[in-house]
Structures are given as structure tokens and as C-alpha cells.
Amino acid sequence: MDVLAVLNLSEVALYFSKMSMFPLFDLAYYIVSILYLKYEPGSVDVSRRNPIASWLCAMLYCFSSYIIADVLLGESPLHYFNNTSHILLATAVWYLIFYCPLNLFYKCVAFMPMKLVLTAMKEVVRVRKISVGVVHAHHAYHHGWIIMALVGWAKGAGVALISNFEQLIRGVWKPETNEFLSMSFPTKASLVGAVIFTLQQARWLPISKHNVVFLFTLFMIVTKVFMTATHSHGSPFAPIEAFLCPIVFGNAYNNHDRVCSRDNMQSCNLSPYTAKTKEELNEGTRKKKCKKTE
């Protein structure tokens, strides 16, 4: 039995799934995306020194999900740039956030109540992109579940997945910030959403697509708005990960790391003084030889 049908929300979910994203929701998506770009260290500097590099970074923040999805599906990475209206809208947002006199536009969209509304609208677009990505991949690979999940994931967390490339355009190289090594909440949530939509597309979930879109959008809006309002960088998935990871993947490696700490280095045959002692011995031997020669 459909949960939303019991709550008389099925029609609302159907209307919500058919709602157009352009221009209002897409505008909110571009504003929040470029707003986060401006928060990045050195991005304002780059916008003053090299506006072209700043514009490229802004376009990656807005359209990287489409670029990665097109590459995964064997299409041209420039395919989405054929949508001139979207490019112009994102360019206008980029210009206003970085170059508006007295930073008026930035101050308006960064005002917390306005930012929360825009963040909620952005999450609506994110979930819709994940859903569309899974359907797009399904048309090309009918039984490729992994491909559908990967394309949906790329559509939802594109900018995070290529963050290192975007940093290179700004002249920054931080390989330790690789999103695959330390995933943020939007990246994890996009992966979970891609798996859910893939299961629904494969008819493994007894729930209609528009209901899945509605429910997952509610989850993303509530979670992301709360995290933005409280300035939280944690993840609601953390308790689940802390419970499941030791069971599924084991914790032997972590235990080994704790045993082989600096205090127990000698018992693990990993003493940091071994190499130093050899160098000192070699140095002493050279000095003795030099004395004999003299």
C-alpha cells in the first residue's frame, strides 16, 4: 500500500514531480552553487585577477554534474552548453555575486532566511537531477544498474566529484581534499538517492517514481536546511556508518594502527630511530676514516 496515498498526499507528489525547474528553481541552484564558490579561499582574488578562470569555475559549480554524466554515457562534455538560456542565467548570477557594487546582491542572497529558502530550492533541483540521470542511463543501458547509479550519483554530486579539477583552475592543488577520500553529506546523500532511484527504476521498490521523488526531496530539504541553519558539517549518516562499517568491513586495520602507535613502536619493529642510528653510525665511521687519513 502506498504511504502517500494513505496520507492523501499522492496528488501533491504527482504535481510536485511534474513541476518545472526553470527558471526559479534553477536560478536558486545557481545562486547557492556560486555562493559556495565565493566562500572558497582565494576565489575572490581569482575573480579580480582572472575573470575568465573565475567564470569557468562558476560554470563547473553549476554544470559539472551534466558534464560528468555526459562523459560517462559517451556523449560530448560540451553538450549541455547548448542550453544558452541556462548559461546566460548562471553567468548573470556569477557576475552579480562577484562584481555587484557594494556586494549588495551577495549580501541579499547570503542573508540567512533567504539562504535557507534558496538552499531548499536547490535540493529540489538536486533530487530531480538524480532521478533524471537514472532514467537517462536506463534508456542507454536497460540492465546496467551500476551505470544507472553512477550517472545518478554524478548528476547529484558533480561539483564535489571534480572539486580537485576546479581547484586547479583557481591555481590550488589540494589532493587531500579528494571527495572520494572524505565524502560530504551531499555526496553521500546523492549516492543513496541514486541507488534508491535505480531500485525503483528496476521495479524492486513497490512505490511510484513521483512518490520517491517527493519523499527523498523532503528528506534532503529538511536535512540540508537544518545543517545550513546550524552551520553543521556533520552527516546524519554518521551513526549508521559507525554501526555498519565495523561489521561489514571490519576494524582490524584500525586496531593495528592503535597498537602500532608511537609508544609501542619498538614492539611493532617500526622504531623511527633505527634509520637515524644507522646514519649516525655511518657518520662516525666516516669521521674515524678521515682521522686515520689525516
Side-chain angles (χ1 to χ4, degrees):
M1 183 178 293
D2 205 359
V3 178
L4 294 182
V6 174
L7 298 176
N8 295 323
L9 293 176
S10 186
E11 292 183 4
V12 176
L14 182 61
Y15 173 78
F16 178 79
S17 65
K18 293 181 178 180
M19 193 166 49
S20 175
M21 296 292 102
F22 186 82
L24 290 179
F25 286 89
D26 285 324
L27 176 62
Y29 185 92
Y30 302 150
I31 289 174
V32 176
S33 298
I34 299 176
L35 195 62
Y36 280 111
L37 171 62
K38 190 167 184 176
Y39 292 157
E40 290 293 323
S43 61
V44 176
D45 238 13
V46 172
S47 67
R48 297 293 183 268
R49 291 186 288 103
N50 196 328
I52 294 178
S54 177
W55 179 82
L56 284 174
C57 292
M59 295 304 103
L60 284 178
Y61 262 73
C62 295
F63 306 115
S64 57
S65 56
Y66 299 100
I67 295 173
I68 298 178
D70 286 340
V71 171
L72 290 176
L73 293 173
E75 300 176 6
S76 171
L78 299 178
H79 175 73
Y80 193 79
F81 285 84
N82 189 42
N83 298 311
T84 308
S85 56
H86 287 265
I87 303 300
L88 291 178
L89 184 61
T91 300
V93 171
W94 162 75
Y95 186 85
L96 289 172
I97 287 180
F98 280 96
Y99 303 105
C100 181
L102 303 177
N103 263 343
L104 289 178
F105 186 79
Y106 167 77
K107 292 175 182 177
C108 289
V109 297
F111 181 54
M112 184 54 72
M114 176 63 72
K115 187 178 178 182
L116 294 179
V117 173
L118 294 173
T119 299
M121 296 173 71
K122 178 183 178 180
E123 295 310 311
V124 174
V125 179
R126 187 198 301 275
V127 176
R128 191 67 60 86
K129 286 165 67 176
I130 296 173
S131 173
V132 172
V134 170
V135 173
H136 189 186
H138 175 72
H139 289 320
Y141 303 93
H142 296 290
H143 303 289
W145 291 14
I146 295 178
I147 298 175
M148 286 188 273
L150 285 176
V151 174
W153 187 28
K155 282 284 187 106
V159 64
L161 297 177
I162 62 167
S163 57
N164 291 107
F165 178 72
E166 182 273 328
Q167 289 171 355
L168 282 177
I169 296 179
R170 288 190 284 113
V172 180
W173 173 240
K174 294 181 179 179
E176 69 277 4
T177 61
N178 191 326
E179 189 70 15
F180 292 98
L181 297 177
S182 179
M183 291 188 186
S184 59
F185 166 73
T187 304
K188 294 178 181 178
S190 297
L191 179 57
V192 172
V195 172
I196 292 175
F197 283 111
T198 299
L199 293 176
Q200 193 282 326
Q201 189 69 34
R203 301 292 188 268
W204 276 72
L205 285 181
I207 183 172
S208 60
K209 179 183 173 182
H210 60 270
N211 287 341
V212 176
V213 171
F214 183 74
L215 291 174
F216 194 71
T217 302
L218 283 181
F219 165 74
M220 290 297 295
I221 289 176
V222 171
T223 306
K224 201 65 172 69
V225 167
F226 175 78
M227 292 175 66
T228 303
T230 58
H231 302 284
S232 172
H233 298 286
S235 170
F237 298 128
I240 302 174
E241 293 173 2
F243 175 75
L244 289 180
C245 286
I247 298 174
V248 178
F249 301 106
N251 56 356
Y253 183 78
N254 293 332
N255 290 337
H256 177 73
D257 285 345
R258 285 194 290 269
V259 171
C260 296
S261 60
R262 185 175 292 273
D263 296 334
N264 301 324
M265 196 72 76
Q266 187 174 1
S267 62
C268 292
N269 296 324
L270 295 173
S271 174
Y273 302 104
T274 305
K276 187 176 180 181
T277 306
K278 288 182 179 178
E279 290 177 0
E280 290 176 352
L281 290 173
N282 292 335
E283 185 67 24
T285 305
R286 283 195 296 270
K287 286 180 180 180
K288 287 179 181 179
K289 288 182 179 179
C290 289
K291 286 182 180 180
K292 287 181 180 180
T293 305
E294 290 173 356

